[in-house]
Amino acid sequence: MNNIRKQSMIVSFVVFVGIGLLGLHAQGQDPSPEKGSFGVSTNPAYFALGGYSVRGIYHLPKRWSFGLNVEAGFELPDDFRDLFFNDNQAINVDWDYLVAAEARYRFSIESYDAGFYVNGSLGYEGWTVNETISDADTSFDNWFSSLGVGYTWYPFKKKNFNVGINYNIIFILNNTEDQQAGNTTFAINRVIPPSFIPSNILIGWRF
């Protein structure tokens, strides 16, 4: 599992960097506001934690954007484990994977996601929970949905490179009953509130 996780992280990073380098050779003019545009982004914190993060999003000309996110593959830090799980002293938690479809409604009149937006997602994710005292572990997965608000900033005149921040409330849709890892009973919380540490800090490129 660790080898698969490392390979996924490397492949995801290479793909993102490769697409970004190709974007440097894209035409200098912004896409017509009557046409859509495609973008990619990543959460660098996930890479710092040993995981991966690749997001692709398509901006329709008027207000709406739709995307696909593939990420995770790291051990949850203590603060985030506190948010997700009701027993945070006796267990360690690996966030194995996440795949989610996302929709955004943009408040800006631009044909891309500059400024504020609201978003919703539906996804599927997997976990491995380890009892620290015995090293016994168990795995499970669940569906989830989320609602959030975000802001995207394009710092340069040419509207390609961007930096974003996003806060979400997450609803776990199944497998929220008590489970066992060794002798420890745990459960994932049904509702995960936004944290003061942003769950999504994004760096992206729009083509």
Side-chain angles (χ1 to χ4, degrees), residues 84-87 140 175-179 185-189:
F84 278 86
F85 288 85
N86 65 358
D87 186 333
F140 74 99
N175 286 341
T176 57
E177 67 277 0
D178 286 349
Q179 301 189 59
T185 301
F186 70 91
I188 191 168
N189 295 322

Side-chain angles (χ1 to χ4, degrees), residues 16 40-44 47 52-55 71 201-204:
F16 177 76
V40 292
S41 63
T42 188
N43 186 336
F47 286 97
Y52 55 92
S53 171
V54 177
R55 298 180 171 210
E71 50 195 358
I201 300 174
L202 302 172
I203 296 175

Side-chain angles (χ1 to χ4, degrees), residues 44-100:
Y46 287 7
F47 286 97
L49 291 168
Y52 55 92
S53 171
V54 177
R55 298 180 171 210
I57 191 162
Y58 185 76
H59 306 295
L60 296 175
K62 295 181 180 180
R63 301 294 187 182
W64 287 96
S65 301
F66 297 93
L68 182 66
N69 309 329
V70 180
E71 50 195 358
F74 58 88
E75 182 179 332
L76 283 182
D78 291 348
D79 289 342
F80 286 101
R81 189 177 57 200
D82 292 353
L83 287 175
F84 278 86
F85 288 85
N86 65 358
D87 186 333
N88 62 342
Q89 300 298 319
I91 58 174
N92 292 322
V93 180
D94 287 337
W95 196 7
D96 296 326
Y97 63 87
L98 176 151
V99 179

Side-chain angles (χ1 to χ4, degrees), residues 31-173:
S32 166
E34 299 303 319
K35 298 181 179 179
S37 63
F38 176 73
V40 292
S41 63
T42 188
N43 186 336
Y46 287 7
F47 286 97
L49 291 168
Y52 55 92
S53 171
V54 177
R55 298 180 171 210
I57 191 162
Y58 185 76
H59 306 295
L60 296 175
K62 295 181 180 180
R63 301 294 187 182
W64 287 96
S65 301
F66 297 93
L68 182 66
N69 309 329
V70 180
E71 50 195 358
F74 58 88
E75 182 179 332
L76 283 182
D78 291 348
D79 289 342
F80 286 101
R81 189 177 57 200
D82 292 353
L83 287 175
F84 278 86
F85 288 85
N86 65 358
D87 186 333
N88 62 342
Q89 300 298 319
I91 58 174
N92 292 322
V93 180
D94 287 337
W95 196 7
D96 296 326
Y97 63 87
L98 176 151
V99 179
E102 178 185 358
R104 297 180 182 179
Y105 179 81
R106 313 186 303 264
F107 293 107
S108 171
I109 62 173
E110 302 288 353
S111 60
Y112 52 94
D113 63 339
F116 285 100
Y117 61 86
V118 290
N119 67 291
S121 66
L122 177 66
Y124 194 71
E125 61 190 348
W127 309 89
T128 298
V129 178
N130 175 269
E131 184 185 45
T132 55
I133 194 171
S134 69
D135 207 31
D137 59 38
T138 187
S139 297
F140 74 99
D141 44 42
N142 61 264
W143 289 93
F144 71 91
S145 63
S146 70
L147 296 173
V149 60
Y151 184 87
T152 304
W153 177 47
Y154 288 80
F156 304 120
K157 184 176 180 181
K158 184 179 177 181
K159 300 301 188 289
N160 296 115
F161 177 77
N162 57 83
V163 180
I165 190 169
N166 184 262
Y167 287 90
N168 288 278
I169 182 170
I170 303 168
F171 304 94
I172 305 300
L173 303 179

